[in-house]
Amino acid sequence: MDLVAKYQGVVGRVFRNENSGSSEDSYVERLLDRISNGVLAEDRRAAMLELQSVVSESRAGQMAFGAMGFPVILSVLKEERDDFEMVRGALETLVGALSPIGHAKGPANEVQPTLMNSDLLSREVDNISLLLSLLSEEDFYVRYYTLQLLTALLTNSPQRLQEAILSIPRGITRLMDMLMDREVIRNEALLLLSYLTREAEEIQKIVVFEGAFEKIFSIIKEEGGSEGGVVVQVLLRETMGFDQLFSVLKLRGTTYKFTQEKTINLLSVLETINLLIIGGPETDPGRDSNKLTNKTVLVQKKVLDHLFMLGVESQWAPVPVRCAALHCIGDLIANHPKNLEELASKRLGEEPDLEPALNSVLRILLRTSSKQEFMAADYLFKNFCQQNPDGQTMLASTLILQPQSMIHAPVEEDVNMSFGSMLLHGLTTGENEVDVETCSRAASVLSHVIKGNNQCKEKVLQIELEAPTPILGRAEPLLHRMVKYLALASSMKSKDGKSSTSENVFVQPIILKLLIIWLSDCPNVVQCFLDSRPHLTYLLELVSNPTTIVCVRGLAAVLLGECVIYNKSNASGRDAYSIVDAISQKVGLTSYFLKFEEMQKSSLFTSAKPFFPRKSLTRSSAASMAEIGDGANESSDQKNEHPMLASVFDSPFVYFLKRLEADIREKMVEAYSSPKSQVTVVPAELEQRSGENDVDYIKRLKTFVEKQCHEIQDLLSRNATLAEDLARTGGNNSSSLERKVSGGSDRVQLETLRRDLQEASQRIETLKADKAKAELEASTYKNLAGKTESDLKSLSDAYNSLEQANFRLEKEVDALKSGDIEALKEEAREEALKESEAELSDLLVCLGQEQSKVEKLSTRLRELGEDVDTLLEGIGDDAGADDADEDEED
């Protein structure tokens, strides 16, 4: 009650304003009284539910609760722990009192009830301790609402809650325990811890010490097959962020001192990053997107800087840490174009001694005494070159030989070399046991550079090395030097005079792997390989050598097979048929195919894993790795198979070998079933005998050819049957093969019948094809005839139509002709009449004018006293007489 009294001033002022008489005030007071003093349990629970509703819907209710409700509710949490229903209700009420109501925002200067209630609850450390104790209750909802209440408190009063949790014994531990709870509670705990550790370095240290990262990647690993694993990754990425992971990776103070606890933490964080890069289960549709996002965010956060510091620049770091850092870099760049570009352009060191990061990693790969560190660095190069032809071409372009004086220079002189020059330096110094191992390591990197890239294979094929001694003459191709070191590795002796095969058992497989990848689908490389006759001889001996390990014999058999299936040469002794004959004579087909089966039955094949298999890391295993320190380079699996061999026979390479084996078997069958293209021996029977006429000569030739054909067919069928049996069974013993061969005549008969049946079938198919072709042609002609007939009918109809139209037009023309004459006559009459009428009219006008003149003249003459009538007499007659005279003259 003293706690509430401290707030009476503020709360009293609030409740003495215009809302002091509100109904919520008295209603909340009545509900609290029922909860505190009620007799019936059901009534108290009902009052708790009503109070929960009021504080979650009304700001005034929240204010009223803050004024008088905390003592009652805290009392329920302390004294009624057995009544889970009341405890749940109390916790939900507190969550409602601390959660803002979105639709009821007051003025900016108004007291916020949620902030006031949060401050009121978090002021006393005992209240926080009480809430943390509830996390150990069995009831799920009690734990769930407690975490929600703590998250609400942290949102409103972060600093006070952080201080309170730090002052409570095992406060952080109780929260960490919730990470191992059910998924819903675990996610609430993750959310709470993410907010709690922000800008709280002391809590961050405690969280890391309590194994937070181990628990996180344990969740990702265990629930990777469900949606929850991806949810945890997204939650970690978008709430807690990756900055806390990086803070552990940063090397502070005396960076050359790595305590066991520091090593464990580093390994745990690196394993966490690895699990984030995996992205989720393979069946999850969003796995690729989540993986891509994690990789992008990690590189954007400059995680490569921390990883290179641990794996490359800090050589005082324990071997397990360096290996894990290199492995993380390899996973980050795998199938991620932007991250690949970032790595290709990254440089390490300080001015003016900067060098490309890939050069630094290559130097570690060639120099390290740790097999595990070599495998981790090799894994990085494998992922850089995989599905990255531009990166392969970039690395191959640097393959430039150093001057003769630098070839046998110490390895320390490689600081100023380019990547390719350093790689060639490692490839070409294999004159003793140590250098042969270095050569095999460089060969592994070169196999990644040229894998699946014929342009790079051709580029490397052009590299020629100076002869070891000037007396030997011309330069030596790098391919031939690799075969030389392959042979040298098998003849090495250790200091006690015994074979060093057990120590460097991985050298020959790595070089053989390089040669297999190099010759694959590249006839020019096969040709260069076969240019030296001893190469074929050595391979045949290596396949037959019983002292070599199974995988070496198997890989040598695969290399021989590539000399057959990718052989485009026609030169005698180097073509595919010659290689098959050599295998048959020197090794035997049965023994040859047996090498494939022996290799496939070995544990390396049957238990093939991804390139860099890693066991799940726990805190105990991390501790053991930290104690081992630099001795961690020897795997416990060495008693079964050398770890380097497991890295050679990774699952992609095993699949590649299986596909090659199928092609080799098929090509062998084809070589035995098909005759050679050249015939060099001409039998004497083909020459015409003296005194033999042409008819007898032709008959004898016909008989000879028929006999030869039967023999050839028998041999081909026998070879085909034998080759198919060998390709199919492979491992059958010689006695079984002898029994099969002894029954060859039956197979020949069956083969003859099969060929006859096949020929008959082919003839039937040919006849069917001819019939179909004839039917098609008949159908085509029928269609053409129908079309022509239709066209003729159309033309006939058109012609008839034209005839009818012509007849009609002629009739119309005749009608028009008769009608036009009458019309023309009528028109001429009308025109003549019109012209006569016009002339008559003109004459009448003229006569009128003349009459007018006569009348005027007559009047004038009368005025002058002349007798007009007398004057006019005879004028008409004279005119008539004149006209008559003119007519007579005419």
Side-chain angles (χ1 to χ4, degrees):
M1 298 302 293
D2 293 339
L3 184 62
V4 180
K6 297 177 181 178
Y7 276 83
Q8 288 299 319
V10 175
V11 178
R13 286 195 296 272
V14 172
F15 276 81
R16 280 193 294 271
N17 61 13
E18 62 272 16
N19 296 323
S20 60
S22 63
S23 59
E24 284 84 352
D25 191 2
S26 57
Y27 185 45
V28 168
E29 186 176 4
R30 289 196 303 271
L31 291 175
L32 290 171
D33 182 66
R34 287 169 58 189
I35 294 170
S36 179
N37 302 318
V39 177
L40 297 176
E42 292 298 327
D43 182 60
R44 297 178 67 240
R45 290 169 183 166
M48 183 69 77
L49 289 176
E50 293 179 26
L51 180 62
Q52 175 188 340
S53 177
V54 171
V55 298
S56 62
E57 297 176 359
S58 169
R59 287 167 56 86
Q62 290 179 338
M63 294 293 291
F65 177 82
M68 62 189 80
F70 279 106
V72 176
I73 298 301
L74 292 174
S75 175
V76 171
L77 296 178
K78 291 177 183 178
E79 300 171 4
E80 301 183 40
R81 298 281 283 268
D82 295 335
D83 191 345
F84 289 136
E85 191 169 346
M86 284 295 290
V87 173
R88 290 178 202 164
L91 290 171
E92 286 188 80
T93 302
L94 289 174
V95 172
L98 271 61
S99 300
I101 301 173
H103 62 274
K105 296 182 179 179
N109 58 353
E110 183 179 353
V111 175
Q112 299 297 320
T114 55
L115 297 177
M116 184 190 72
N117 292 340
S118 299
D119 189 52
L120 181 63
L121 182 59
S122 62
R123 175 158 296 202
E124 293 293 333
V125 177
D126 291 341
N127 296 339
I128 308 301
S129 179
L130 173 63
L131 294 178
L132 291 176
S133 67
L134 292 173
L135 294 175
S136 60
E137 293 292 335
E138 296 180 359
D139 187 76
F140 168 82
Y141 290 100
V142 170
R143 300 195 305 276
Y144 177 70
Y145 290 126
T146 300
L147 288 173
Q148 281 198 333
L149 179 58
L150 289 171
T151 303
L153 267 175
L154 184 63
T155 303
N156 298 327
S157 302
Q159 185 174 359
R160 186 170 291 173
L161 183 63
Q162 290 170 349
E163 293 173 354
I165 290 179
L166 283 173
S167 65
I168 297 171
R170 299 189 73 252
I172 297 294
T173 304
R174 292 178 182 177
L175 293 176
M176 294 292 298
D177 291 340
M178 294 296 101
L179 294 178
M180 297 293 103
D181 209 318
R182 293 163 63 177
E183 182 178 347
V184 176
I185 292 179
R186 181 198 65 205
N187 291 343
E188 287 291 332
L190 274 173
L191 187 62
L192 175 62
L193 284 170
S194 67
Y195 288 125
L196 193 62
T197 53
R198 288 180 180 176
E199 299 180 2
E201 188 173 353
E202 291 298 323
I203 296 180
Q204 291 176 6
K205 292 179 181 179
I206 297 173
V207 166
V208 173
F209 183 79
E210 292 288 340
F213 295 125
E214 182 182 2
K215 287 183 172 64
I216 289 173
F217 73 71
S218 175
I219 293 169
I220 298 173
K221 179 170 54 183
E222 292 176 4
E223 302 200 8
S226 65
E227 186 179 356
V230 178
V231 171
V232 174
Q233 293 183 42
V234 175
L235 189 64
L236 177 62
R237 183 176 68 234
E238 297 183 358
T239 58
M240 293 181 69
F242 295 145
D243 292 337
Q244 297 178 37
L245 292 175
F246 303 156
S247 66
V248 181
L249 294 178
K250 292 179 181 178
L251 301 179
R252 302 184 184 90
T254 55
T255 53
Y256 55 89
K257 292 183 180 179
F258 283 80
T259 63
Q260 181 181 11
E261 187 64 29
K262 184 175 184 178
T263 301
I264 292 172
N265 289 338
L266 286 171
L267 290 173
S268 298
V269 172
L270 292 171
E271 181 70 8
T272 302
I273 294 174
N274 255 336
L275 293 171
L276 289 170
I277 293 170
I278 292 173
E282 293 184 0
T283 55
D284 183 8
R287 175 177 182 265
D288 291 339
S289 175
N290 191 49
K291 177 169 62 176
L292 187 66
T293 303
N294 286 345
K295 288 183 179 181
T296 302
V297 173
L298 285 168
V299 173
Q300 287 176 349
K301 294 286 187 179
K302 303 299 182 183
V303 70
L304 285 178
D305 294 340
H306 304 300
L307 294 176
F308 272 111
M309 178 60 70
L310 285 173
V312 178
E313 297 180 276
S314 300
Q315 287 302 300
W316 52 83
V319 171
V321 173
R322 299 203 302 266
C323 293
L326 290 172
H327 185 266
C328 278
I329 296 172
D331 284 335
L332 278 171
I333 63 174
N335 301 320
H336 195 294
K338 289 186 178 179
N339 290 359
L340 286 169
E341 293 177 4
E342 182 74 18
L343 177 59
S345 61
K346 190 164 188 61
R347 304 177 74 84
L348 303 180
E350 298 179 358
E351 294 287 355
D353 298 324
L354 288 173
E355 73 168 350
L358 290 175
N359 290 27
S360 301
V361 177
L362 179 61
R363 185 177 297 106
I364 291 174
L365 180 143
L366 296 175
R367 293 184 184 180
T368 182
S369 60
S370 167
K371 301 293 190 298
Q372 291 292 334
E373 191 169 16
F374 157 69
M375 291 167 60
D378 194 48
Y379 177 76
L380 188 153
F381 283 114
K382 172 183 176 290
N383 284 355
F384 178 81
C385 295
Q386 187 174 8
Q387 298 181 8
N388 184 20
D390 292 339
Q392 290 176 302
T393 304
M394 179 196 72
L395 296 180
S397 66
T398 64
L399 291 168
I400 303 173
L401 281 173
Q402 293 293 311
Q404 181 70 23
S405 59
M406 291 292 295
I407 292 180
H408 299 288
V411 292
E412 290 77 9
E413 298 294 332
D414 61 9
V415 176
N416 298 321
M417 293 183 184
S418 66
F419 177 91
S421 298
M422 194 189 310
L423 184 62
L424 288 175
H425 187 255
L427 283 169
T428 56
T429 55
E431 301 297 334
N432 55 56
E433 184 175 346
V434 176
D435 290 336
V436 167
E437 180 178 345
T438 302
C439 172
S440 68
R441 295 183 179 187
S444 181
V445 176
L446 183 60
S447 68
H448 303 319
V449 173
I450 65 175
K451 185 176 181 181
N453 193 322
N454 281 5
Q455 181 181 355
C456 291
K457 291 179 183 180
E458 297 285 352
K459 164 72 176 176
V460 180
L461 185 63
Q462 303 304 318
I463 297 176
E464 293 188 346
L465 310 174
E466 295 185 16
T469 57
I471 302 176
L472 296 179
R474 68 182 186 86
E476 179 184 22
L478 177 62
L479 178 65
H480 292 190
R481 183 69 64 88
M482 290 297 99
V483 182
K484 172 186 173 183
Y485 291 153
L486 176 65
L488 186 63
S490 61
S491 62
M492 284 290 182
K493 301 291 183 179
S494 59
K495 294 179 181 179
D496 57 2
K498 298 181 180 180
S499 174
S500 62
T501 303
S502 59
E503 298 176 6
N504 293 332
V505 68
F506 57 88
V507 173
Q508 283 187 304
I510 289 178
I511 297 178
L512 282 169
K513 181 178 180 180
L514 167 64
L515 294 175
I516 289 172
I517 291 174
W518 203 346
L519 268 65
S520 174
D521 198 23
C522 199
N524 289 339
V525 181
V526 175
Q527 183 64 39
C528 179
F529 179 83
L530 294 175
D531 281 345
S532 178
R533 182 67 184 177
H535 291 173
L536 180 60
T537 304
Y538 172 70
L539 274 186
L540 293 170
E541 293 176 354
L542 192 61
V543 171
S544 306
N545 189 352
T547 62
T548 58
I549 61 176
V550 172
C551 68
V552 170
R553 295 197 298 268
L555 293 175
V558 172
L559 192 58
L560 273 174
E562 287 187 318
C563 293
V564 175
I565 62 178
Y566 300 121
N567 193 326
K568 305 299 182 183
S569 174
N570 294 321
S572 177
R574 298 180 187 175
D575 61 336
Y577 294 104
S578 300
I579 305 299
V580 173
D581 290 341
I583 293 174
S584 178
Q585 295 172 8
K586 302 293 185 181
V587 181
L589 289 180
T590 305
S591 177
Y592 175 75
F593 286 117
L594 186 61
K595 302 302 183 287
F596 289 99
E597 291 198 354
E598 289 175 350
M599 182 172 63
Q600 290 184 6
K601 290 178 181 178
S602 67
S603 59
L604 290 171
F605 254 67
T606 56
S607 60
K609 297 179 177 65
F611 183 84
F612 195 79
R614 290 171 58 88
K615 295 182 178 179
S616 299
L617 184 69
T618 62
R619 197 167 184 82
S620 58
S621 62
S624 63
M625 291 175 66
E627 291 174 357
I628 292 173
D630 290 345
N633 59 338
E634 298 298 334
S635 171
S636 60
D637 294 336
Q638 189 174 356
K639 60 184 179 181
N640 298 323
E641 296 288 354
H642 199 287
M644 296 281 286
L645 287 179
S647 70
V648 172
F649 286 89
D650 59 339
S651 53
F653 186 61
V654 167
Y655 174 78
F656 173 71
L657 291 180
K658 289 180 178 178
R659 182 174 58 82
L660 268 181
E661 182 201 351
D663 295 340
I664 291 169
R665 290 181 184 273
E666 182 180 353
K667 186 67 175 180
M668 290 290 189
V669 172
E670 181 184 344
Y672 267 87
S673 303
S674 303
K676 294 185 179 181
S677 59
Q678 297 179 358
V679 179
T680 58
V681 179
V682 179
E685 288 82 352
L686 296 181
E687 299 293 337
Q688 188 173 8
R689 299 171 183 174
S690 60
E692 186 178 27
N693 58 36
D694 293 340
V695 175
D696 294 337
Y697 177 56
I698 291 172
K699 288 181 179 179
R700 187 169 57 82
L701 286 181
K702 182 178 180 182
T703 304
F704 175 78
V705 171
E706 289 177 352
K707 181 182 177 181
Q708 290 291 316
C709 285
H710 285 301
E711 291 178 358
I712 291 171
Q713 293 298 332
D714 290 343
L715 289 173
L716 287 177
S717 62
R718 189 172 301 168
N719 285 341
T721 304
L722 178 61
E724 289 174 358
D725 291 341
L726 289 173
R728 184 170 57 252
T729 60
N732 292 337
N733 54 36
S734 58
S735 61
S736 175
L737 286 174
E738 289 173 359
R739 289 196 297 272
K740 291 184 178 181
V741 174
S742 65
S745 59
D746 295 336
R747 291 194 183 89
V748 170
Q749 294 177 2
L750 291 174
E751 182 67 20
T752 303
L753 292 174
R754 184 183 64 80
R755 286 199 308 273
D756 293 341
L757 178 62
Q758 185 176 2
E759 290 175 0
S761 300
Q762 289 177 352
R763 286 197 296 272
I764 292 172
E765 293 298 327
T766 303
L767 291 174
K768 286 182 179 179
D770 293 341
K771 180 184 176 183
K773 182 178 180 182
E775 290 178 350
L776 180 62
E777 291 178 354
S779 176
T780 303
Y781 290 142
K782 185 177 179 181
N783 293 335
L784 288 174
K787 183 179 179 183
T788 304
E789 184 179 357
S790 176
D791 293 341
L792 288 174
K793 185 178 180 181
S794 299
L795 289 172
S796 177
D797 294 341
Y799 180 75
N800 292 334
S801 299
L802 288 173
E803 287 287 340
Q804 294 174 2
N806 187 34
F807 181 72
R808 186 176 62 255
L809 289 173
E810 286 179 353
K811 291 178 67 177
E812 291 178 356
V813 167
D814 292 340
L816 288 172
K817 284 180 178 179
S818 60
D820 286 345
I821 293 172
E822 296 299 330
L824 289 172
K825 289 180 179 180
E826 184 66 28
E827 184 177 354
R829 273 195 228 90
E830 291 179 357
E831 287 182 358
L833 183 60
K834 288 180 180 179
E835 290 178 359
S836 299
E837 290 178 353
E839 291 177 356
L840 182 59
S841 177
D842 292 338
L843 289 174
L844 291 174
V845 172
C846 291
L847 288 174
Q849 292 176 352
E850 291 298 327
Q851 183 66 31
S852 175
K853 292 179 180 179
V854 170
E855 289 178 356
K856 287 181 180 180
L857 288 174
S858 298
T859 303
R860 181 64 177 167
L861 289 173
R862 283 189 185 102
E863 290 177 357
L864 293 176
E866 292 292 334
D867 185 3
V868 176
D869 293 331
T870 302
L871 291 174
L872 292 176
E873 288 179 2
I875 292 176
D877 295 334
D878 294 338
D882 293 336
D883 291 336
D885 293 338
E886 290 177 0
D887 291 336
E888 289 176 358
E889 290 175 0
D890 294 333

